[in-house]
Every structure is written in structure tokens, then in C-alpha cells.
Coordinates of all heavy atoms in Angstrom, one line a residue:
M29 N 122.3 -81.2 100.2 CA 122.9 -81.3 98.9 C 122.0 -81.8 97.9 O 121.2 -82.7 98.1 CB 124.1 -82.4 99.1 CG 124.9 -82.5 97.8 SD 126.2 -83.7 98.0 CE 125.4 -85.3 97.7
S30 N 122.0 -81.1 96.7 CA 121.1 -81.6 95.6 C 121.9 -82.1 94.5 O 123.0 -81.7 94.2 CB 120.2 -80.4 95.2 OG 121.0 -79.5 94.5
I31 N 121.3 -83.1 93.9 CA 122.0 -83.7 92.7 C 121.1 -83.5 91.5 O 120.0 -83.9 91.5 CB 122.2 -85.3 92.9 CG1 123.1 -85.5 94.2 CG2 122.8 -85.9 91.7 CD1 123.2 -86.9 94.6
M32 N 121.7 -82.9 90.5 CA 121.0 -82.6 89.2 C 121.1 -83.8 88.3 O 122.2 -84.3 88.0 CB 121.5 -81.4 88.5 CG 121.3 -80.1 89.3 SD 119.6 -79.5 89.3 CE 119.5 -78.9 87.7
V33 N 120.0 -84.3 87.8 CA 120.0 -85.4 86.9 C 119.2 -85.0 85.7 O 118.0 -84.6 85.8 CB 119.4 -86.7 87.5 CG1 119.4 -87.8 86.5 CG2 120.1 -87.1 88.8
K34 N 119.8 -85.1 84.5 CA 119.1 -84.8 83.3 C 118.2 -86.0 82.8 O 118.6 -87.1 82.9 CB 120.0 -84.5 82.2 CG 120.8 -83.2 82.4 CD 121.7 -82.9 81.2 CE 122.4 -81.5 81.4 NZ 123.3 -81.3 80.3
V35 N 117.0 -85.7 82.4 CA 116.1 -86.7 81.9 C 116.7 -87.5 80.8 O 116.6 -88.7 80.7 CB 114.7 -86.1 81.4 CG1 113.8 -87.1 80.7 CG2 114.0 -85.4 82.6
E36 N 117.4 -86.8 79.9 CA 118.0 -87.5 78.7 C 119.0 -88.5 79.2 O 119.1 -89.6 78.6 CB 118.8 -86.5 77.8 CG 117.9 -85.5 77.1 CD 117.4 -84.3 77.9 OE1 117.9 -84.2 79.1 OE2 116.5 -83.6 77.5
E37 N 119.7 -88.2 80.3 CA 120.7 -89.2 80.8 C 120.0 -90.4 81.4 O 120.5 -91.6 81.2 CB 121.6 -88.5 81.9 CG 122.6 -87.6 81.3 CD 123.3 -86.8 82.3 OE1 123.2 -87.2 83.5 OE2 124.1 -85.9 82.0
K38 N 118.9 -90.2 82.0 CA 118.1 -91.4 82.6 C 117.5 -92.2 81.4 O 117.5 -93.4 81.5 CB 117.0 -90.9 83.5 CG 117.5 -90.1 84.7 CD 118.4 -90.8 85.6 CE 117.7 -91.8 86.4 NZ 118.6 -92.6 87.3
L39 N 117.0 -91.5 80.4 CA 116.4 -92.3 79.3 C 117.5 -93.1 78.6 O 117.2 -94.2 78.1 CB 115.8 -91.3 78.3 CG 114.5 -90.6 78.8 CD1 114.0 -89.6 77.7 CD2 113.4 -91.6 79.1
Y40 N 118.7 -92.7 78.6 CA 119.8 -93.4 77.9 C 120.0 -94.7 78.6 O 120.6 -95.6 78.0 CB 121.0 -92.5 78.0 CG 122.1 -93.1 77.1 CD1 122.0 -93.1 75.7 CD2 123.3 -93.6 77.7 CE1 123.0 -93.6 74.9 CE2 124.3 -94.1 76.9 CZ 124.2 -94.1 75.5 OH 125.2 -94.7 74.7
Q41 N 119.6 -94.9 79.8 CA 119.8 -96.2 80.5 C 118.8 -97.3 80.0 O 119.1 -98.5 80.2 CB 119.4 -96.0 82.0 CG 120.3 -94.9 82.7 CD 121.7 -95.3 82.7 OE1 122.1 -96.4 82.8 NE2 122.6 -94.2 82.6
N42 N 117.8 -96.8 79.3 CA 116.8 -97.8 78.7 C 117.3 -98.4 77.5 O 118.2 -97.9 76.8 CB 115.5 -97.1 78.5 CG 114.9 -96.5 79.7 OD1 115.0 -97.0 80.8 ND2 114.2 -95.4 79.6
R43 N 116.8 -99.6 77.1 CA 117.1 -100.2 75.8 C 115.8 -100.4 75.0 O 114.8 -100.7 75.6 CB 117.8 -101.5 76.0 CG 119.1 -101.4 76.7 CD 120.2 -100.8 75.8 NE 121.4 -100.5 76.5 CZ 121.8 -99.4 77.1 NH1 120.9 -98.4 77.1 NH2 122.9 -99.2 77.7
Y44 N 115.9 -100.2 73.7 CA 114.7 -100.2 72.9 C 115.0 -101.1 71.7 O 115.9 -100.9 71.0 CB 114.3 -98.8 72.4 CG 113.0 -98.8 71.8 CD1 111.8 -98.6 72.6 CD2 112.8 -99.0 70.4 CE1 110.6 -98.6 72.0 CE2 111.5 -99.0 69.9 CZ 110.4 -98.8 70.6 OH 109.2 -98.8 70.1
I45 N 114.1 -102.1 71.5 CA 114.2 -103.0 70.3 C 113.2 -102.6 69.3 O 112.0 -102.7 69.6 CB 114.1 -104.5 70.7 CG1 115.2 -104.8 71.8 CG2 114.2 -105.4 69.5 CD1 115.0 -106.2 72.3
V46 N 113.6 -102.1 68.2 CA 112.7 -101.6 67.1 C 112.1 -102.8 66.4 O 112.8 -103.7 66.0 CB 113.5 -100.7 66.1 CG1 112.6 -100.3 65.0 CG2 114.1 -99.6 66.9
D47 N 110.8 -102.7 66.2 CA 110.1 -103.7 65.4 C 109.9 -103.1 64.0 O 108.9 -102.4 63.7 CB 108.7 -104.0 66.1 CG 108.0 -105.2 65.4 OD1 108.5 -105.8 64.5 OD2 106.9 -105.5 65.9
E48 N 110.9 -103.3 63.1 CA 110.9 -102.7 61.8 C 109.5 -102.9 61.1 O 109.0 -104.1 61.0 CB 112.0 -103.3 61.0 CG 113.4 -103.0 61.5 CD 113.8 -101.5 61.3 OE1 113.1 -100.8 60.6 OE2 114.9 -101.2 61.9
N49 N 109.0 -101.9 60.5 CA 107.8 -101.9 59.7 C 106.5 -102.3 60.5 O 105.5 -102.6 59.9 CB 107.9 -102.9 58.5 CG 109.1 -102.5 57.6 OD1 109.3 -101.3 57.4 ND2 109.9 -103.5 57.2
H50 N 106.6 -102.3 61.8 CA 105.4 -102.6 62.7 C 105.3 -101.6 63.8 O 105.5 -101.9 65.0 CB 105.5 -104.0 63.3 CG 105.3 -105.1 62.3 ND1 106.4 -105.8 61.7 CD2 104.2 -105.6 61.7 CE1 105.9 -106.7 60.8 NE2 104.6 -106.6 60.8
P51 N 105.2 -100.3 63.5 CA 105.1 -99.3 64.5 C 103.8 -99.6 65.4 O 102.8 -99.9 64.8 CB 104.9 -98.0 63.8 CG 104.4 -98.3 62.4 CD 105.0 -99.7 62.1
H52 N 104.0 -99.5 66.7 CA 102.8 -99.9 67.6 C 101.9 -98.7 67.8 O 100.8 -98.9 68.3 CB 103.3 -100.4 68.9 CG 104.1 -99.4 69.7 ND1 105.4 -99.1 69.4 CD2 103.8 -98.7 70.8 CE1 105.8 -98.2 70.3 NE2 104.9 -98.0 71.2
I53 N 102.3 -97.5 67.3 CA 101.4 -96.3 67.4 C 101.4 -95.8 66.0 O 102.4 -95.7 65.3 CB 102.0 -95.3 68.4 CG1 102.2 -95.9 69.7 CG2 101.0 -94.1 68.5 CD1 102.9 -94.9 70.7
R54 N 100.2 -95.3 65.6 CA 100.0 -94.8 64.3 C 99.1 -93.6 64.3 O 98.1 -93.5 65.1 CB 99.3 -95.9 63.4 CG 99.3 -95.7 61.9 CD 98.7 -96.9 61.2 NE 97.3 -97.1 61.6 CZ 96.3 -96.4 61.1 NH1 96.5 -95.5 60.2 NH2 95.0 -96.6 61.5
I55 N 99.4 -92.5 63.5 CA 98.5 -91.4 63.4 C 97.5 -91.8 62.3 O 97.9 -92.1 61.2 CB 99.3 -90.1 63.0 CG1 100.2 -89.7 64.2 CG2 98.4 -89.0 62.6 CD1 101.2 -88.5 63.8
K56 N 96.3 -91.6 62.6 CA 95.2 -92.1 61.6 C 95.1 -91.1 60.5 O 95.0 -91.6 59.3 CB 93.9 -92.2 62.4 CG 93.8 -93.2 63.4 CD 92.4 -93.2 64.1 CE 92.3 -94.0 65.3 NZ 91.1 -93.8 66.1
S57 N 95.1 -89.8 60.7 CA 94.9 -88.9 59.6 C 95.8 -87.7 59.8 O 95.7 -86.9 60.8 CB 93.4 -88.4 59.7 OG 93.3 -87.2 58.9
E58 N 96.7 -87.5 58.8 CA 97.6 -86.3 58.8 C 96.8 -85.0 58.7 O 97.1 -84.0 59.2 CB 98.6 -86.4 57.7 CG 99.7 -87.4 57.9 CD 100.8 -87.3 56.9 OE1 100.9 -86.3 56.3 OE2 101.6 -88.3 56.8
A59 N 95.7 -85.1 57.9 CA 94.8 -83.9 57.7 C 94.3 -83.4 59.0 O 94.1 -82.2 59.3 CB 93.7 -84.2 56.7
E60 N 93.9 -84.4 59.9 CA 93.4 -84.1 61.2 C 94.5 -83.3 62.0 O 94.1 -82.4 62.8 CB 93.0 -85.3 61.9 CG 92.1 -85.1 63.1 CD 90.7 -84.6 62.7 OE1 90.1 -85.1 61.7 OE2 90.2 -83.7 63.4
C61 N 95.7 -83.8 61.9 CA 96.8 -83.1 62.7 C 97.0 -81.7 62.2 O 97.3 -80.8 63.0 CB 98.1 -83.9 62.5 SG 98.1 -85.5 63.3
K62 N 96.7 -81.4 60.9 CA 96.9 -80.1 60.4 C 95.9 -79.1 61.0 O 96.1 -77.9 61.1 CB 96.7 -80.1 58.9 CG 97.5 -79.1 58.1 CD 97.6 -79.5 56.6 CE 98.5 -78.6 55.9 NZ 98.8 -79.0 54.6
T63 N 94.7 -79.6 61.3 CA 93.7 -78.8 61.9 C 93.7 -78.8 63.4 O 92.9 -78.1 64.1 CB 92.3 -79.2 61.5 OG1 92.0 -80.5 62.1 CG2 92.1 -79.3 60.0
C64 N 94.7 -79.5 64.0 CA 94.8 -79.6 65.5 C 95.5 -78.3 66.0 O 96.6 -78.0 65.6 CB 95.6 -80.8 65.8 SG 95.9 -81.1 67.6
E65 N 94.8 -77.6 66.8 CA 95.3 -76.3 67.2 C 96.5 -76.4 68.1 O 97.5 -75.6 67.9 CB 94.2 -75.5 68.0 CG 93.1 -74.9 67.1 CD 92.1 -74.1 67.9 OE1 92.5 -73.6 69.1 OE2 91.0 -73.9 67.5
T66 N 96.5 -77.3 69.0 CA 97.7 -77.3 69.9 C 98.8 -78.2 69.4 O 100.0 -78.0 69.8 CB 97.2 -77.9 71.3 OG1 96.7 -79.2 71.1 CG2 96.1 -77.0 71.9
Q67 N 98.5 -79.2 68.7 CA 99.5 -80.3 68.3 C 100.3 -80.6 69.6 O 101.6 -80.7 69.6 CB 100.4 -79.8 67.2 CG 99.6 -79.6 65.9 CD 100.5 -79.3 64.7 OE1 101.5 -78.7 64.8 NE2 100.0 -79.7 63.5
A68 N 99.6 -80.9 70.6 CA 100.2 -81.1 72.0 C 101.1 -82.3 72.0 O 102.0 -82.4 72.8 CB 99.1 -81.2 73.0
C69 N 100.9 -83.3 71.2 CA 101.7 -84.5 71.2 C 103.2 -84.1 70.9 O 104.1 -84.8 71.4 CB 101.3 -85.5 70.1 SG 101.2 -84.8 68.5
T70 N 103.4 -83.0 70.2 CA 104.8 -82.6 69.9 C 105.6 -82.0 71.0 O 106.8 -81.9 71.0 CB 104.8 -81.5 68.7 OG1 104.2 -80.4 69.2 CG2 104.2 -82.1 67.5
F71 N 104.9 -81.7 72.1 CA 105.7 -81.2 73.3 C 105.3 -82.0 74.6 O 105.9 -81.7 75.6 CB 105.5 -79.7 73.5 CG 104.1 -79.2 73.6 CD1 103.4 -79.2 74.7 CD2 103.5 -78.6 72.4 CE1 102.1 -78.8 74.8 CE2 102.2 -78.2 72.5 CZ 101.5 -78.2 73.7
C72 N 104.4 -82.9 74.5 CA 104.1 -83.7 75.7 C 104.7 -85.0 75.8 O 104.7 -85.7 76.8 CB 102.6 -83.8 75.9 SG 101.8 -82.2 76.3
C73 N 105.1 -85.5 74.7 CA 105.8 -86.9 74.6 C 107.1 -86.8 75.3 O 108.0 -86.1 74.9 CB 105.9 -87.4 73.2 SG 106.9 -88.9 73.1
P74 N 107.4 -87.5 76.4 CA 108.7 -87.5 77.1 C 109.8 -88.0 76.3 O 111.0 -87.7 76.6 CB 108.4 -88.3 78.3 CG 107.3 -89.2 78.0 CD 106.4 -88.5 77.0
A75 N 109.5 -88.8 75.2 CA 110.6 -89.3 74.4 C 110.7 -88.6 73.1 O 111.5 -89.0 72.2 CB 110.3 -90.8 74.1
A76 N 110.0 -87.5 72.9 CA 110.0 -86.7 71.7 C 109.8 -87.5 70.4 O 110.5 -87.3 69.5 CB 111.4 -85.9 71.7
C77 N 108.8 -88.3 70.5 CA 108.5 -89.2 69.3 C 107.8 -88.4 68.2 O 107.8 -88.8 67.1 CB 107.7 -90.4 69.7 SG 108.6 -91.6 70.8
Y78 N 107.1 -87.3 68.6 CA 106.3 -86.5 67.7 C 107.0 -85.2 67.4 O 107.5 -84.6 68.3 CB 104.9 -86.2 68.2 CG 104.0 -87.4 68.5 CD1 104.2 -88.1 69.7 CD2 103.1 -87.7 67.6 CE1 103.3 -89.2 69.9 CE2 102.2 -88.8 67.8 CZ 102.4 -89.6 69.0 OH 101.6 -90.6 69.2
S79 N 107.1 -84.8 66.1 CA 107.7 -83.6 65.7 C 106.8 -82.9 64.6 O 106.3 -83.6 63.8 CB 109.1 -83.7 65.3 OG 109.2 -84.7 64.2
K80 N 106.8 -81.6 64.7 CA 106.1 -80.8 63.6 C 106.9 -80.9 62.4 O 108.2 -80.9 62.4 CB 105.9 -79.4 64.1 CG 105.0 -79.2 65.3 CD 104.8 -77.7 65.6 CE 104.0 -77.5 66.8 NZ 103.5 -76.2 67.1
N81 N 106.2 -81.0 61.2 CA 107.0 -81.0 60.0 C 106.6 -79.8 59.1 O 105.7 -79.1 59.4 CB 106.8 -82.4 59.3 CG 105.4 -82.6 58.9 OD1 104.6 -81.7 58.6 ND2 104.9 -83.9 59.1
E82 N 107.3 -79.7 58.0 CA 107.2 -78.6 57.1 C 105.8 -78.5 56.4 O 105.3 -77.5 56.0 CB 108.2 -78.6 56.0 CG 109.6 -78.3 56.6 CD 110.7 -78.3 55.5 OE1 110.4 -78.7 54.3 OE2 111.9 -78.0 55.8
A83 N 105.1 -79.7 56.4 CA 103.8 -79.7 55.7 C 102.7 -79.3 56.7 O 101.5 -79.2 56.3 CB 103.5 -81.2 55.3
G84 N 103.1 -78.9 57.9 CA 102.1 -78.4 58.9 C 101.4 -79.6 59.7 O 100.5 -79.3 60.4
T85 N 101.9 -80.8 59.4 CA 101.3 -81.9 60.1 C 102.4 -82.4 61.2 O 103.3 -81.6 61.5 CB 100.9 -83.1 59.2 OG1 102.1 -83.5 58.5 CG2 99.9 -82.6 58.2
V86 N 102.2 -83.6 61.6 CA 103.1 -84.2 62.6 C 103.7 -85.5 62.1 O 103.1 -86.3 61.5 CB 102.3 -84.4 63.9 CG1 103.1 -85.2 64.9 CG2 101.9 -83.1 64.5
T87 N 105.0 -85.6 62.4 CA 105.7 -86.8 62.1 C 105.9 -87.6 63.3 O 106.3 -87.1 64.4 CB 107.1 -86.5 61.4 OG1 106.9 -85.8 60.3 CG2 107.9 -87.8 61.1
L88 N 105.6 -88.9 63.3 CA 105.8 -89.8 64.4 C 106.9 -90.8 64.2 O 106.9 -91.5 63.2 CB 104.4 -90.5 64.7 CG 104.4 -91.7 65.7 CD1 104.9 -91.2 67.1 CD2 103.1 -92.3 65.7
A89 N 107.8 -91.0 65.1 CA 108.8 -92.0 65.1 C 108.7 -92.7 66.4 O 109.1 -92.1 67.4 CB 110.2 -91.4 64.8
T90 N 108.3 -94.0 66.4 CA 108.0 -94.7 67.7 C 109.3 -95.2 68.3 O 109.2 -95.8 69.4 CB 107.0 -95.8 67.5 OG1 107.4 -96.7 66.5 CG2 105.6 -95.2 67.1
D91 N 110.4 -95.2 67.7 CA 111.7 -95.6 68.3 C 111.9 -94.9 69.6 O 111.8 -93.7 69.6 CB 112.9 -95.4 67.4 CG 112.7 -96.0 66.0 OD1 111.7 -96.6 65.8 OD2 113.7 -96.0 65.2
G92 N 112.1 -95.6 70.7 CA 112.4 -94.9 72.0 C 111.1 -94.7 72.7 O 111.2 -94.1 73.8
C93 N 109.9 -95.0 72.2 CA 108.7 -94.8 72.9 C 108.7 -95.5 74.3 O 109.1 -96.6 74.4 CB 107.5 -95.4 72.1 SG 106.0 -95.4 73.0
L94 N 108.3 -94.8 75.3 CA 108.3 -95.3 76.7 C 107.0 -96.0 77.1 O 106.9 -96.5 78.2 CB 108.5 -94.1 77.7 CG 109.8 -93.3 77.4 CD1 109.8 -92.0 78.3 CD2 111.0 -94.1 77.6
E95 N 106.1 -96.1 76.1 CA 104.8 -96.8 76.4 C 104.0 -96.1 77.6 O 103.4 -96.8 78.3 CB 105.0 -98.3 76.6 CG 105.6 -98.9 75.3 CD 106.1 -100.4 75.6 OE1 105.5 -101.0 76.5 OE2 107.0 -100.8 74.9
C96 N 104.2 -94.8 77.7 CA 103.5 -94.2 78.9 C 102.0 -93.9 78.6 O 101.3 -93.7 79.6 CB 104.3 -92.9 79.2 SG 104.1 -91.6 77.9
G97 N 101.6 -93.8 77.3 CA 100.2 -93.5 77.0 C 99.8 -92.1 77.0 O 98.7 -91.8 76.8
T98 N 100.8 -91.2 77.2 CA 100.4 -89.7 77.3 C 99.8 -89.3 75.9 O 98.8 -88.5 75.9 CB 101.7 -88.9 77.6 OG1 102.3 -89.3 78.8 CG2 101.4 -87.4 77.6
C99 N 100.4 -89.6 74.8 CA 99.9 -89.2 73.5 C 98.4 -89.7 73.3 O 97.6 -88.9 72.8 CB 100.8 -89.6 72.4 SG 101.1 -91.4 72.3
R100 N 98.2 -90.8 73.7 CA 96.8 -91.4 73.6 C 95.8 -90.6 74.3 O 94.7 -90.3 73.9 CB 96.9 -92.8 74.1 CG 95.6 -93.6 74.0 CD 95.8 -94.9 74.7 NE 94.8 -95.9 74.3 CZ 94.8 -97.1 74.8 NH1 95.8 -97.6 75.6 NH2 93.9 -98.0 74.4
V101 N 96.2 -90.1 75.5 CA 95.3 -89.3 76.4 C 95.1 -87.9 75.8 O 94.0 -87.4 75.6 CB 95.8 -89.2 77.8 CG1 95.0 -88.3 78.6 CG2 95.8 -90.6 78.4
I102 N 96.3 -87.4 75.4 CA 96.3 -86.0 74.8 C 95.4 -85.9 73.6 O 94.8 -84.8 73.3 CB 97.7 -85.6 74.6 CG1 98.3 -85.0 75.9 CG2 97.8 -84.6 73.5 CD1 99.8 -84.8 75.8
C103 N 95.4 -86.9 72.8 CA 94.7 -86.9 71.5 C 93.3 -87.4 71.6 O 92.6 -87.7 70.6 CB 95.5 -87.7 70.5 SG 94.9 -87.4 68.8
Q104 N 92.8 -87.5 72.8 CA 91.4 -88.1 73.0 C 90.3 -87.4 72.3 O 89.4 -88.0 71.8 CB 91.1 -88.2 74.5 CG 91.2 -89.6 75.0 CD 91.0 -89.7 76.5 OE1 90.8 -88.8 77.2 NE2 91.0 -90.9 77.0
D105 N 90.4 -86.0 72.3 CA 89.4 -85.2 71.6 C 89.3 -85.6 70.1 O 88.2 -85.7 69.5 CB 89.6 -83.7 71.8 CG 89.3 -83.3 73.2 OD1 88.8 -84.1 74.0 OD2 89.7 -82.2 73.6
K106 N 90.5 -85.7 69.5 CA 90.5 -85.9 68.1 C 90.4 -87.4 67.7 O 90.1 -87.7 66.6 CB 91.9 -85.4 67.5 CG 92.0 -83.8 67.6 CD 91.6 -83.2 66.4 CE 91.9 -81.7 66.3 NZ 91.2 -81.1 65.2
E107 N 90.8 -88.2 68.7 CA 90.8 -89.7 68.5 C 91.6 -90.0 67.2 O 91.1 -90.8 66.4 CB 89.4 -90.2 68.4 CG 88.6 -90.1 69.7 CD 87.2 -90.8 69.6 OE1 86.8 -91.1 68.6 OE2 86.7 -91.0 70.7
N108 N 92.7 -89.4 67.1 CA 93.5 -89.5 65.9 C 94.8 -90.4 66.0 O 95.6 -90.4 65.2 CB 93.9 -88.1 65.4 CG 94.4 -88.2 63.9 OD1 93.9 -89.0 63.2 ND2 95.3 -87.2 63.6
I109 N 94.8 -91.1 67.2 CA 96.0 -92.0 67.4 C 95.5 -93.4 67.6 O 94.7 -93.7 68.4 CB 96.8 -91.5 68.6 CG1 97.5 -90.2 68.3 CG2 97.8 -92.6 69.0 CD1 98.3 -89.6 69.4
Q110 N 96.1 -94.3 66.8 CA 95.9 -95.7 67.0 C 97.0 -96.3 67.9 O 98.2 -96.2 67.5 CB 95.9 -96.4 65.6 CG 95.8 -98.0 65.7 CD 94.5 -98.5 66.0 OE1 93.5 -98.0 65.5 NE2 94.4 -99.4 66.9
W111 N 96.7 -96.7 69.1 CA 97.7 -97.0 70.1 C 97.6 -98.5 70.5 O 96.6 -99.0 70.9 CB 97.5 -96.1 71.3 CG 98.7 -95.9 72.2 CD1 99.5 -94.8 72.2 CD2 99.2 -96.8 73.2 NE1 100.5 -95.0 73.2 CE2 100.3 -96.2 73.8 CE3 98.8 -98.1 73.6 CZ2 101.0 -96.8 74.8 CZ3 99.5 -98.7 74.7 CH2 100.6 -98.0 75.2
D112 N 98.7 -99.2 70.4 CA 98.8 -100.5 70.9 C 100.2 -100.7 71.6 O 101.1 -99.9 71.4 CB 98.8 -101.5 69.7 CG 97.4 -101.6 69.1 OD1 96.5 -102.0 69.8 OD2 97.3 -101.2 67.9
Y113 N 100.3 -101.7 72.4 CA 101.6 -102.1 72.9 C 102.4 -102.7 71.8 O 101.8 -103.3 70.9 CB 101.5 -103.0 74.1 CG 101.1 -102.4 75.4 CD1 99.8 -102.5 75.9 CD2 102.0 -101.5 76.0 CE1 99.4 -101.9 77.0 CE2 101.6 -100.9 77.2 CZ 100.3 -101.1 77.7 OH 100.0 -100.4 78.9
P114 N 103.8 -102.7 71.8 CA 104.6 -103.4 70.8 C 104.3 -104.9 70.9 O 103.9 -105.4 72.0 CB 106.0 -103.0 71.2 CG 105.9 -101.8 72.1 CD 104.6 -101.9 72.8
R115 N 104.7 -105.6 69.9 CA 104.6 -107.0 69.9 C 105.6 -107.6 70.9 O 106.6 -106.9 71.3 CB 104.9 -107.6 68.5 CG 103.9 -107.2 67.5 CD 104.0 -107.9 66.2 NE 105.3 -107.7 65.5 CZ 105.7 -108.5 64.5 NH1 105.0 -109.4 64.0 NH2 106.9 -108.2 64.0
G116 N 105.4 -108.8 71.3 CA 106.2 -109.4 72.3 C 107.7 -109.4 71.9 O 108.0 -109.8 70.7
G117 N 108.6 -109.1 72.8 CA 110.0 -109.1 72.5 C 110.5 -107.7 71.9 O 111.7 -107.5 71.8
Y118 N 109.6 -106.8 71.6 CA 110.0 -105.5 71.1 C 109.6 -104.4 72.1 O 108.9 -104.6 73.0 CB 109.3 -105.3 69.7 CG 109.7 -106.2 68.7 CD1 108.9 -107.3 68.3 CD2 110.9 -106.1 67.9 CE1 109.2 -108.2 67.3 CE2 111.3 -106.9 66.9 CZ 110.4 -108.0 66.7 OH 110.8 -108.9 65.7
G119 N 110.2 -103.3 71.8 CA 109.8 -102.1 72.6 C 110.9 -101.8 73.7 O 112.0 -102.2 73.6
I120 N 110.4 -101.2 74.7 CA 111.3 -100.6 75.8 C 111.6 -101.7 76.8 O 110.8 -102.5 77.2 CB 110.6 -99.4 76.4 CG1 111.6 -98.6 77.3 CG2 109.4 -99.8 77.2 CD1 112.3 -97.6 76.6
S121 N 112.9 -101.6 77.3 CA 113.3 -102.4 78.4 C 113.9 -101.4 79.4 O 114.9 -100.7 79.1 CB 114.4 -103.4 78.1 OG 113.8 -104.4 77.3
Y122 N 113.2 -101.2 80.6 CA 113.7 -100.2 81.5 C 114.9 -100.8 82.3 O 115.0 -101.9 82.7 CB 112.6 -99.9 82.5 CG 111.5 -99.0 81.8 CD1 110.4 -99.5 81.4 CD2 111.8 -97.6 81.7 CE1 109.4 -98.7 80.7 CE2 110.8 -96.8 81.1 CZ 109.7 -97.4 80.6 OH 108.7 -96.6 80.0
K123 N 115.8 -99.9 82.6 CA 117.0 -100.2 83.4 C 117.2 -99.1 84.4 O 116.7 -98.0 84.3 CB 118.2 -100.3 82.5 CG 118.1 -101.3 81.5 CD 119.5 -101.8 81.0 CE 119.3 -103.0 80.0 NZ 120.6 -103.6 79.7
F124 N 117.8 -99.4 85.5 CA 118.1 -98.5 86.5 C 119.6 -98.1 86.5 O 120.4 -98.9 86.3 CB 117.7 -99.0 87.9 CG 116.2 -99.4 88.0 CD1 115.8 -100.7 87.9 CD2 115.3 -98.4 88.1 CE1 114.5 -101.0 88.0 CE2 113.9 -98.7 88.2 CZ 113.5 -100.0 88.1
G125 N 119.8 -96.9 86.8 CA 121.2 -96.5 86.9 C 121.4 -95.0 86.7 O 120.4 -94.3 86.3
Ligands
SF4_219 S1 97.3 -84.3 69.3 FE1 96.5 -85.9 67.8 S2 95.5 -84.7 66.2 FE2 96.8 -83.3 67.4 S3 98.7 -83.2 66.2 FE3 98.9 -84.8 67.8 S4 98.3 -86.8 66.8 FE4 97.5 -85.0 65.5
SF4_220 S1 103.3 -93.6 74.6 FE1 104.4 -91.9 75.7 S2 106.6 -92.1 75.0 FE2 105.3 -93.3 73.6 S3 104.9 -91.9 71.9 FE3 103.1 -91.7 73.3 S4 103.7 -90.0 74.7 FE4 105.6 -90.7 73.6

């Protein structure tokens, strides 16, 4: 017997406390994103924090970030992401269920 579980349903079990005006991840240069051939962050982030925008660059919303570090690794060639953990008391709290 197999049980299908959607990723979105599992992510919904987590809780996230937003640190208003203190995003823990920052894109250094939008111009750099415009020249980025793959813009891989827009499809590799499991929480869909990055999205392509009409200006041809990338918009980042760190709400819901899982702190997995994938974007940091993916952008290593360009070194265009400033990545830190959230301040104490903010960010993701994992739950099971
Ligand atoms: S991978 Fe890096 S340089 Fe490319 S679009 Fe994403 S943040 Fe910008
Ligand atoms: S750390 Fe992971 S979840 Fe957070 S923005 Fe980067 S890829 Fe997405």
C-alpha cells in the first residue's frame, strides 16, 4: 500500500515567525540576476521564495524559508546571495504531522 503525501501539506505543518524588515537572505545585485542564465533559485528553492519578475530579475521573499541553504549553493558561481540564519526567535519551527 502506498500513501501519497504532498510536499505543500507537509510544509504547512511548520510555523514561521517573520522578522519584519530584517530578511536573513538578501540578493546582492539585481543586475547580476538579469544576466544569470539559469536563474536556478527560482525552481530549486523548496519553499518557492524566489520568483522571476517582469523586470527580468528575481524577487525574493524569505517568509517560509526552510533554512536549507540550497539557494546559497546554487548561486555559488555568481556569489550573489548574502545568506545568514534568522535572528534568535525568528524563522522556521519544524513540526511533525
Ligand atoms: S541564482 Fe543567484 S544570480 Fe542567479 S538569479 Fe538566483 S540569486 Fe540571481
Ligand atoms: S535557504 Fe532553502 S528554503 Fe530558504 S530561500 Fe534558500 S533555498 Fe529557499
Side-chain angles (χ1 to χ4, degrees):
M29 184 178 84
S30 68
I31 300 172
M32 295 288 286
V33 179
K34 289 184 179 174
V35 172
E36 292 80 6
E37 288 174 7
K38 299 301 283 183
L39 291 176
Y40 189 70
Q41 304 295 325
N42 301 324
R43 294 292 173 267
Y44 191 89
I45 301 175
V46 177
D47 191 0
E48 296 287 352
N49 302 320
H50 292 95
H52 65 286
I53 306 173
R54 193 178 63 81
I55 292 174
K56 296 180 190 170
S57 162
E58 287 191 18
E60 196 68 42
C61 292
K62 211 165 188 172
T63 66
C64 180
E65 282 183 24
T66 61
Q67 295 189 328
C69 56
T70 62
F71 53 83
C72 289
C73 170
C77 293
Y78 296 83
S79 56
K80 295 184 183 190
N81 61 37
E82 289 177 356
T85 63
V86 166
T87 301
L88 166 63
T90 56
D91 301 5
C93 169
L94 305 172
E95 299 168 26
C96 67
T98 302
C99 56
R100 185 184 193 177
V101 173
I102 275 173
C103 193
Q104 255 176 355
D105 287 350
K106 295 265 187 192
E107 294 185 347
N108 197 28
I109 291 176
Q110 172 75 46
W111 201 101
D112 290 296
Y113 283 107
R115 297 192 298 170
Y118 295 99
I120 192 86
S121 291
Y122 286 99
K123 299 201 173 192
F124 300 103

